[in-house]
Amino acid sequence: MGGMGQVVSRQGQHLPQTQDWLMRSIACMLAGRTAEVLIFGDTVAGAGGYDDSDLARATEHAVAAETRLGFSNHQPLLYRSVAGSINELSLDRHLVERVNSRLMEAEAMARSLLENRRDALVAIATRLKDVGVMTGEEITRLLVASPGSSDLTRPDGEL
C-alpha cells in the first residue's frame, strides 16, 4: 500500500453479491476519503495515486458493475473482459460518465452515513491518532457506544 492509511475488511461471503451490496462496498472504499473531507475540509493524496489505493479499487468495482457484472442500465448483458475494461475508460466517455456517476452515488452514501455518525467518526479518528491501528472489534465498540448506533445495524445483524 502506497498511502498512509488503510482499511482492511473481509467480504461477507454469506451476503448476496447484488448491486446494492456492490454499491455499499464501493461506499466503504470511499469512506476514508469522504471522512477526510468532512473532518479536514479537503482530501489528501493517500486515497488515490496507486493501483492498490481505495480510489483505484472503488473505480475498478464501478467499472466492473458497468462492464462485466450485468449491473449496467446500458447494455447489461454485454460482457467486457477485465483487461480491456479499465483501458476503455480512456476511450469511452459514456462509460466514464456511468462509472463516475456510480462513484459519486457511493460517495454520497458514505457521506450520509458519516455525517449522521459524526460523533463516532471523531471518536474513531481520535483513537486511531493515539494507537495507530484498530481492530474491527474496537471500532464496533466505539460505533455501538455512540448515539444513533441503531441505524447502523442491517437486518442480517451486521454493521
Side-chain angles (χ1 to χ4, degrees):
M1 166 98 187
M4 294 180 61
Q6 181 178 20
V7 173
V8 178
S9 62
R10 287 176 256 132
Q11 292 180 351
Q13 298 301 323
H14 63 288
L15 299 175
Q17 295 182 355
T18 62
Q19 183 166 210
D20 181 61
W21 167 86
L22 180 70
M23 291 303 292
R24 288 173 183 253
S25 296
I26 295 170
C28 287
M29 292 172 205
L30 297 175
R33 182 180 189 280
T34 304
E36 290 172 353
V37 172
L38 290 174
I39 298 300
F40 305 122
D42 206 354
T43 61
V44 296
Y50 299 94
D51 288 343
D52 63 346
S53 70
D54 293 337
L55 195 53
R57 290 181 25 236
T59 301
E60 287 172 7
H61 280 70
V63 168
E66 290 294 326
T67 61
R68 21 182 217 287
L69 297 177
F71 294 150
S72 180
N73 291 326
H74 176 76
Q75 301 174 333
L77 299 179
L78 180 64
Y79 175 84
R80 299 179 198 169
S81 73
V82 175
S85 57
I86 286 291
N87 293 330
E88 283 187 56
L89 286 178
S90 300
L91 306 171
D92 185 342
R93 67 181 171 91
H94 298 294
L95 176 61
V96 168
E97 289 300 322
R98 292 191 312 272
V99 167
N100 189 61
S101 179
R102 280 186 182 275
L103 294 170
M104 298 296 286
E105 180 183 342
E107 181 185 48
M109 291 169 65
R111 177 181 294 273
S112 176
L113 179 64
L114 292 169
E115 284 175 338
N116 291 335
R117 302 303 311 275
R118 191 175 190 91
D119 290 345
L121 173 61
V122 171
I124 291 167
T126 301
R127 180 73 178 140
L128 277 170
K129 188 180 102 185
D130 293 341
V131 298
V133 175
M134 292 176 66
T135 65
E137 291 79 22
E138 292 173 289
I139 291 172
T140 299
R141 262 194 310 276
L142 286 173
L143 287 171
V144 170
S146 70
S149 63
S150 63
D151 67 340
L152 283 181
T153 308
R154 297 193 317 239
D156 62 8
E158 300 247 344
L159 286 180

